[in-house]
Amino acid sequence: MAERLELAKDYSISRVINGCWQLSEGHSLQAKLDMQDVMKAFHMLAERGFTTFDCADIYTGTEELLGEFLTELKEGSTLSPHDIQIHTKYVPDINLLSEVDYSYTEKIIDRSLNRQKRDVLDLVQFHWWDYSVPGYLETAGDLLKLKEKGKIRNIAVTNFDTKHLREIVDAGIPVVSCQNQYSVFDRRPEKELLDYCISKGISLLCYGTLSGGLLAEKWIGQTTIQPETRSHVKYFQVIEDTLGWDGYQELLVLLEAIAKKHSVKVSQIATKYILSQQGVGASIIGVRNSRHVESNTQIFSFELDRTDIEEIKQFLDNYPIVEGEPFELERTVDSKYRNIMKMNLNEE
Ligand SMILES: NC(=O)c1ccc[n+]([C@@H]2O[C@H](COP(=O)([O-])OP(=O)(O)OC[C@H]3O[C@@H](n4cnc5c(N)ncnc54)[C@H](OP(=O)(O)O)[C@@H]3O)[C@@H](O)[C@H]2O)c1
């Protein structure tokens, strides 16, 4: 069964969260997904203790899909909708930031409640595309009002850097978690964010841990990748700026050796390494099918020993860490990280 974490008082989550960006329109660059198989994967994961799901207001169709999943649970399953935690996001469009006010925020939260068929949202992760547009503190305050009104159970943030997370916390917003990219390729949270989160009891919920599936045996010995998903495009950029292709190949070989020692797979070592870092609450792993369910349950069947962790860390320390704070390059105009993002999906 998946390990659990008490993320907030009376609120526990699985330490591997099922990610749903993969199920939104446009994420797959090639094949169309088999949605029946996806629903099967949801049931299989939940039955194995992976009861927490990550979606977003801007991941088209995913909140509705999770609403359907909850309905299926009501109609005959050992689990009930109350056994499931749905983490959504509030991501106002970049073009609308200057107009965001309480009533707009409440409209989007109500839309998420309707889509998910819930009376209260378990966790809302707040995102703000551009710190130079004022309003993020006020908007976080509006989320707190909606929490007090009973529409939101827990408030969280996503893609905030240390400075701006600190501002939100200092303003009295009870942030329980911060969702950011953190993997063997992208170690920006190690600069400052992780320490700050630990000091405030905020859990880091990490995405990119498997880098869209690029941390797997099948890539050993390859000379290039043909991106199949938007995740591949995103994480390939991070490899270019850190390990490079040769370093990536060497890392895969190292992870494979450790995986063989524990009779597991490269993906499980990459996930476990991130889960073993202090301050990390959970890793979010994207779901596209039922193919990886059994393999992902193996994450909790073994422990990395101190030598494994040290060996991986020493290897990574030979390579640069991505420049800046978490999500800083993604916010920098004309950077390649920013150029691949869609920043006006909420009103589409
Ligand atoms: N806040 C944000 O801005 C943000 C950004 C990105 C992602 N996220 C969240 O994080 C989630 C994860 O997204 P991600 O882009 O970081 O992807 P990821 O979790 O790193 O990669 C997911 C892919 O890894 C492969 N995979 C899964 N289990 C595997 C296993 N056991 N062995 C080998 N491969 C395996 C699958 O690919 P195949 O099916 O192709 O094999 C799957 O589609 C998203 O769904 C979303 O919820 C949030």
Side-chain angles (χ1 to χ4, degrees), residues 19 21-22 54 158-159 179 208 211-212 231 235 286 288 292 295-296:
W21 178 37
Q22 280 64 19
D54 182 75
T158 178
N159 297 324
Q179 182 183 137
S211 299
S231 296
Y235 300 117
R288 296 209 300 158
H292 300 297
S295 155
N296 286 339

Side-chain angles (χ1 to χ4, degrees), residues 182 189-190 192-199 204 277-280:
Y182 184 30
E190 291 175 10
E192 203 182 339
L193 184 69
L194 260 174
D195 280 344
Y196 176 72
C197 286
I198 293 167
S199 76
L204 197 70
Q277 305 299 314
Q278 208 198 344
V280 168

Side-chain angles (χ1 to χ4, degrees), residues 49 159 169 172 215 250 300 307:
N159 297 324
V169 170
L215 284 159
E250 278 178 45
F300 300 106
T307 357

Side-chain angles (χ1 to χ4, degrees), residues 254-255 258 269 273 308-316:
L254 170 65
L255 297 181
I258 299 173
I269 301 295
Y273 179 74
D308 303 326
I309 294 174
E310 207 37 50
E311 213 176 338
I312 297 170
K313 185 180 172 336
Q314 272 179 12
F315 177 88
L316 297 177

